[in-house]
Structures are given as C-alpha cells and as structure tokens.
Amino acid sequence: MKSHDMTPADVAPISVDERPTIALALGAGGAKGLAHIGVIEEIEARGFRITAIAGSSMGALIGGIHAMGKLDVYRDWVSTLAKLDVLRLLDWTFSGGGLIKGERIIGTLRELIGDVLIEELPIAFTAVATDLDRQREVWLTRGSLFDAVRASIAIPTVFRPHMLGGRRMLDGALLNPVPVTPLIRDPADYLVAVSLDGPPQPPAVVATETPEDLGYRHRLGEFFGRLLPGSEGKPREPGAWELLSQSMDLMQANLSRLRLAAYEPDLLIELPRDISTVYEFYRARELIEHGREQAREALASWPLQQG
C-alpha cells in the first residue's frame, strides 16, 4: 500500500467566520420590543455576528426566536396582525393573579415556529425572569425556550405568574429591564444593549393618532381599567390601566438607567419609551423600522464603525 503525501490541494479549506462578534442584551417594553427585530437585522447587515443574547420580557421573546433562527418567520407573521387579531390572542381570566392566561399567545408561537431546548440553540441565550417566591432575579438557560419566555413576559396583574420548577415567575423587567449582567463574561468582541426606556420623543416627532386609533386605545384601556381592582364604573382620566402602564414605564426607565450605569455596555442603542403602548402589536412594521433606524444611527456614530 503506497503512502500518499497530502498536498494543499487535498486539504479542504476551513471556513472561519471572521466577523466581529456581539453579545446582545434586549430590554423589556411590550409591543415596543418589536423594534428589536429591526435592531437585530441592522446589526447583522453591518457585518456583525451575534453569538449570545440575554433578554427580559419582550426582549426574551424576540431574542429567543432569533436564537432559534426563526426571526424572519415571526417578523412576517406579526407584521400581518390587525387590531382585532391582537385582541383574539388574549385569553382573559379572572383568577390566578393576572388578567391574561398567556397560554393562547405561547401556543400560537409554538405552532408557528416550534419549540426547542435552550441548551440546544445555536446562539447562547438567557431569558431573565423574577422569582416571586425567592424574591430574586433568575437567569433561565436550560429547558423549553417558550417556558422561559412565558416566565419572562409575565407582567404583574396583566399576565398570570408562570409556574416553573414549582415557583411563581414574573416579568424579568421587575429587577433587570435591560439584562447586560448575564453577558458580562461572554467572550464576544463587543457587548451591545438595546433599551426601550429612552427619553420621550419631542412633541413634534410623535405621530398624530387617527380618531380610530384613539377610540381603540380608549376602549382597550377602559376595558382593562374596569377589570382592575378599585376601578368601578367609567374610569376617570387617565384611567386605571393607563396609570398602571405609565407608572411601570417610569419605574422601569429609572431602574434601567441605574443598571446600565453600573454595567456599561460597549454600545447602547436607546429607543424612546413612548414610541408605542405595550399592546400596539398591530403597528409591527412601523416599530420594526423604528428599531432599524435607531440602530443605524447608533452604529454610524460608534467609533468602531467610523474607524
């Protein structure tokens, strides 16, 4: 048997992805979190490779779906939702500590794109939730992706707490709205955070709502307001639901600022906290484009990109 000396032509080339890598922290914000889709697409269009994601609430949902490689499927689906479609996804309940069960939303997503174990994802992923019983932040890195997402999106009084491992899990934004901390020791080249808690837009920039939009928002707010404890009859302005939403936005914005000051990312992409309300998923196309534009602006002014 003759020996064969291998020549360079005999050796298959090794494919090495030399793009700079990013660990990405995606913040909470309800429907505002659809802007994360545009941010992710712009980051990748700029030649970066996302190797790790941590998300709270809507950031966990978008981040987990991207880690699956199914973000385009979700984007195309959510971009078709009309106002009534959003309402049909809500399974109302009057027990269990929340107004919405959340099973219909998660079931729809499982049917749309499937489910997977987090530890099997091609991109490292962490969903941040709040353990109500232990009163501490929890990093979910194993088990069903959509169990972790359901735990992370459990906004108090809106969604019922999610039972996971015998414990009640709530929205990760209660303790960590923009979860940079799970990524601090990640070996990626850069740590980028996306916050949906930025300063409000100037009045001239805020889009003018049509009478139809105002009517829809008022009816939905009134409905929530009547369900909330202590809201009897016609809600007074601003209404119980609107007041709750504004209060949570204010608390989350201040907590985000403190956490990001303590754990500063290499780049912060910040979107105004008033680009939408938490339930305006029917504005998906607009919100995705808003995220894309904000990411484009932030990346263009980043010294790394300028160099």
Short mmCIF file of all heavy atoms in Angstrom, two decimals, residues 99 155-158 217 220-226 228 231 235 238-248 277-279:
data_model
loop_
_atom_site.label_atom_id
_atom_site.label_comp_id
_atom_site.label_asym_id
_atom_site.label_seq_id
_atom_site.Cartn_x
_atom_site.Cartn_y
_atom_site.Cartn_z
N LEU A 99 -54.79 39.17 34.43
CA LEU A 99 -55.96 39.31 33.59
C LEU A 99 -55.89 38.42 32.35
O LEU A 99 -56.91 38.16 31.73
CB LEU A 99 -56.11 40.77 33.14
CG LEU A 99 -56.25 41.81 34.27
CD1 LEU A 99 -56.31 43.21 33.68
CD2 LEU A 99 -57.49 41.52 35.10
N ILE A 155 -45.96 40.05 33.01
CA ILE A 155 -46.13 41.39 33.59
C ILE A 155 -47.13 41.32 34.74
O ILE A 155 -48.24 40.80 34.56
CB ILE A 155 -46.64 42.38 32.53
CG1 ILE A 155 -45.69 42.43 31.33
CG2 ILE A 155 -46.82 43.77 33.13
CD1 ILE A 155 -46.24 43.21 30.16
N PRO A 156 -46.78 41.81 35.93
CA PRO A 156 -47.69 41.71 37.08
C PRO A 156 -49.06 42.32 36.79
O PRO A 156 -49.16 43.38 36.18
CB PRO A 156 -46.95 42.50 38.17
CG PRO A 156 -45.51 42.42 37.78
CD PRO A 156 -45.50 42.44 36.28
N THR A 157 -50.10 41.63 37.22
CA THR A 157 -51.52 41.96 37.07
C THR A 157 -52.02 41.78 35.63
O THR A 157 -53.21 41.64 35.42
CB THR A 157 -51.89 43.39 37.53
OG1 THR A 157 -51.43 44.35 36.58
CG2 THR A 157 -51.32 43.70 38.90
N VAL A 158 -51.13 41.79 34.64
CA VAL A 158 -51.55 41.61 33.25
C VAL A 158 -51.54 40.13 32.89
O VAL A 158 -52.57 39.57 32.50
CB VAL A 158 -50.65 42.41 32.29
CG1 VAL A 158 -51.08 42.18 30.84
CG2 VAL A 158 -50.71 43.90 32.62
N ARG A 217 -57.62 52.69 21.48
CA ARG A 217 -56.81 52.77 22.69
C ARG A 217 -57.69 53.06 23.91
O ARG A 217 -57.50 52.50 24.99
CB ARG A 217 -55.74 53.85 22.53
CG ARG A 217 -54.77 53.91 23.69
CD ARG A 217 -53.47 54.57 23.27
NE ARG A 217 -53.65 55.95 22.87
CZ ARG A 217 -53.59 56.98 23.74
NH1 ARG A 217 -53.39 56.75 25.02
NH2 ARG A 217 -53.72 58.21 23.32
N LEU A 220 -59.77 49.82 24.80
CA LEU A 220 -58.96 48.78 25.43
C LEU A 220 -58.53 49.22 26.83
O LEU A 220 -58.57 48.43 27.79
CB LEU A 220 -57.72 48.48 24.57
CG LEU A 220 -56.89 47.27 25.00
CD1 LEU A 220 -57.75 46.02 25.03
CD2 LEU A 220 -55.71 47.08 24.07
N GLY A 221 -58.14 50.48 26.98
CA GLY A 221 -57.76 50.99 28.29
C GLY A 221 -58.93 50.97 29.26
O GLY A 221 -58.78 50.64 30.43
N GLU A 222 -60.11 51.31 28.75
CA GLU A 222 -61.30 51.29 29.59
C GLU A 222 -61.62 49.87 30.05
O GLU A 222 -61.99 49.64 31.20
CB GLU A 222 -62.48 51.88 28.83
CG GLU A 222 -63.74 52.02 29.66
CD GLU A 222 -64.87 52.64 28.86
OE1 GLU A 222 -65.04 52.26 27.68
OE2 GLU A 222 -65.57 53.51 29.41
N PHE A 223 -61.46 48.90 29.12
CA PHE A 223 -61.74 47.50 29.46
C PHE A 223 -60.81 47.02 30.56
O PHE A 223 -61.23 46.44 31.55
CB PHE A 223 -61.58 46.64 28.21
CG PHE A 223 -61.84 45.18 28.46
CD1 PHE A 223 -63.12 44.71 28.64
CD2 PHE A 223 -60.79 44.28 28.53
CE1 PHE A 223 -63.36 43.36 28.88
CE2 PHE A 223 -61.01 42.94 28.77
CZ PHE A 223 -62.31 42.49 28.94
N PHE A 224 -59.48 47.28 30.38
CA PHE A 224 -58.52 46.90 31.42
C PHE A 224 -58.86 47.62 32.72
O PHE A 224 -58.80 47.05 33.80
CB PHE A 224 -57.10 47.27 30.99
CG PHE A 224 -56.41 46.20 30.20
CD1 PHE A 224 -56.10 46.40 28.87
CD2 PHE A 224 -56.07 44.99 30.77
CE1 PHE A 224 -55.46 45.43 28.12
CE2 PHE A 224 -55.42 44.00 30.04
CZ PHE A 224 -55.12 44.22 28.71
N GLY A 225 -59.19 48.88 32.60
CA GLY A 225 -59.45 49.68 33.80
C GLY A 225 -60.61 49.15 34.62
O GLY A 225 -60.57 49.14 35.84
N ARG A 226 -61.63 48.67 33.95
CA ARG A 226 -62.79 48.12 34.66
C ARG A 226 -62.47 46.81 35.37
O ARG A 226 -63.11 46.45 36.35
CB ARG A 226 -63.94 47.91 33.68
CG ARG A 226 -64.62 49.22 33.27
CD ARG A 226 -65.66 48.98 32.21
NE ARG A 226 -66.40 50.21 31.93
CZ ARG A 226 -67.24 50.34 30.91
NH1 ARG A 226 -67.44 49.34 30.09
NH2 ARG A 226 -67.88 51.48 30.72
N LEU A 228 -59.47 46.05 36.66
CA LEU A 228 -58.51 46.23 37.75
C LEU A 228 -59.23 46.54 39.05
O LEU A 228 -60.24 47.24 39.06
CB LEU A 228 -57.53 47.36 37.42
CG LEU A 228 -56.57 47.06 36.26
CD1 LEU A 228 -55.76 48.29 35.92
CD2 LEU A 228 -55.64 45.91 36.63
N SER A 231 -61.49 49.87 40.29
CA SER A 231 -61.90 50.63 39.11
C SER A 231 -63.36 50.30 38.82
O SER A 231 -63.67 49.41 38.06
CB SER A 231 -61.04 50.27 37.91
OG SER A 231 -59.70 50.57 38.17
N PRO A 235 -63.91 54.69 34.06
CA PRO A 235 -62.65 55.13 34.66
C PRO A 235 -62.43 56.62 34.47
O PRO A 235 -62.76 57.19 33.44
CB PRO A 235 -61.59 54.32 33.89
CG PRO A 235 -62.23 54.01 32.58
CD PRO A 235 -63.69 53.84 32.87
N PRO A 238 -56.49 59.63 33.89
CA PRO A 238 -56.11 58.90 32.70
C PRO A 238 -56.62 57.46 32.65
O PRO A 238 -56.36 56.77 31.68
CB PRO A 238 -54.58 58.91 32.77
CG PRO A 238 -54.29 58.91 34.23
CD PRO A 238 -55.37 59.74 34.86
N GLY A 239 -57.32 56.98 33.68
CA GLY A 239 -57.80 55.60 33.68
C GLY A 239 -56.83 54.69 34.40
O GLY A 239 -55.62 54.91 34.41
N ALA A 240 -57.37 53.65 35.03
CA ALA A 240 -56.54 52.77 35.85
C ALA A 240 -55.45 52.06 35.04
O ALA A 240 -54.31 51.95 35.47
CB ALA A 240 -57.43 51.74 36.57
N TRP A 241 -55.83 51.58 33.84
CA TRP A 241 -54.86 50.84 33.03
C TRP A 241 -53.74 51.77 32.53
O TRP A 241 -52.57 51.44 32.58
CB TRP A 241 -55.57 50.19 31.85
CG TRP A 241 -54.64 49.66 30.80
CD1 TRP A 241 -54.48 50.11 29.54
CD2 TRP A 241 -53.73 48.57 30.95
NE1 TRP A 241 -53.53 49.39 28.87
CE2 TRP A 241 -53.06 48.42 29.71
CE3 TRP A 241 -53.42 47.69 31.99
CZ2 TRP A 241 -52.10 47.45 29.50
CZ3 TRP A 241 -52.46 46.73 31.77
CH2 TRP A 241 -51.81 46.61 30.56
N GLU A 242 -54.13 52.94 32.06
CA GLU A 242 -53.13 53.89 31.57
C GLU A 242 -52.21 54.34 32.70
O GLU A 242 -51.00 54.47 32.53
CB GLU A 242 -53.82 55.09 30.93
CG GLU A 242 -52.84 56.03 30.22
CD GLU A 242 -53.56 57.14 29.47
OE1 GLU A 242 -54.81 57.13 29.43
OE2 GLU A 242 -52.86 58.02 28.95
N LEU A 243 -52.78 54.56 33.88
CA LEU A 243 -51.97 54.97 35.02
C LEU A 243 -50.99 53.87 35.41
O LEU A 243 -49.82 54.13 35.71
CB LEU A 243 -52.88 55.31 36.20
CG LEU A 243 -52.18 55.85 37.47
CD1 LEU A 243 -51.43 57.12 37.16
CD2 LEU A 243 -53.21 56.09 38.57
N LEU A 244 -51.46 52.61 35.41
CA LEU A 244 -50.57 51.49 35.72
C LEU A 244 -49.43 51.41 34.71
O LEU A 244 -48.27 51.23 35.08
CB LEU A 244 -51.37 50.18 35.73
CG LEU A 244 -50.56 48.89 35.91
CD1 LEU A 244 -49.87 48.87 37.27
CD2 LEU A 244 -51.44 47.67 35.73
N SER A 245 -49.76 51.54 33.42
CA SER A 245 -48.75 51.44 32.37
C SER A 245 -47.71 52.55 32.51
O SER A 245 -46.50 52.31 32.41
CB SER A 245 -49.41 51.52 30.99
OG SER A 245 -50.28 50.45 30.79
N GLN A 246 -48.17 53.77 32.74
CA GLN A 246 -47.25 54.90 32.88
C GLN A 246 -46.36 54.74 34.11
O GLN A 246 -45.17 55.06 34.08
CB GLN A 246 -48.02 56.21 32.94
CG GLN A 246 -48.68 56.59 31.63
CD GLN A 246 -49.52 57.84 31.73
OE1 GLN A 246 -49.74 58.38 32.83
NE2 GLN A 246 -50.01 58.33 30.61
N SER A 247 -46.93 54.23 35.18
CA SER A 247 -46.16 54.04 36.41
C SER A 247 -45.08 52.99 36.21
O SER A 247 -43.92 53.17 36.63
CB SER A 247 -47.09 53.63 37.55
OG SER A 247 -48.05 54.61 37.81
N MET A 248 -45.43 51.88 35.55
CA MET A 248 -44.45 50.84 35.31
C MET A 248 -43.35 51.33 34.36
O MET A 248 -42.18 50.99 34.53
CB MET A 248 -45.14 49.59 34.75
CG MET A 248 -46.02 48.89 35.78
SD MET A 248 -46.72 47.34 35.17
CE MET A 248 -45.24 46.33 35.01
N THR A 277 -47.60 52.05 22.94
CA THR A 277 -48.04 51.47 24.20
C THR A 277 -47.68 49.98 24.21
O THR A 277 -47.22 49.44 23.20
CB THR A 277 -49.57 51.63 24.37
OG1 THR A 277 -50.22 50.96 23.29
CG2 THR A 277 -49.96 53.09 24.37
N VAL A 278 -47.89 49.33 25.32
CA VAL A 278 -47.44 47.94 25.45
C VAL A 278 -48.21 46.97 24.58
O VAL A 278 -47.73 45.87 24.30
CB VAL A 278 -47.51 47.47 26.93
CG1 VAL A 278 -46.58 48.28 27.79
CG2 VAL A 278 -48.95 47.53 27.45
N TYR A 279 -49.41 47.34 24.10
CA TYR A 279 -50.25 46.38 23.39
C TYR A 279 -50.42 46.68 21.90
O TYR A 279 -51.18 46.01 21.21
CB TYR A 279 -51.64 46.31 24.04
CG TYR A 279 -52.31 47.66 24.22
CD1 TYR A 279 -52.93 48.31 23.16
CD2 TYR A 279 -52.32 48.27 25.46
CE1 TYR A 279 -53.53 49.53 23.32
CE2 TYR A 279 -52.93 49.50 25.64
CZ TYR A 279 -53.53 50.13 24.57
OH TYR A 279 -54.12 51.35 24.74
#
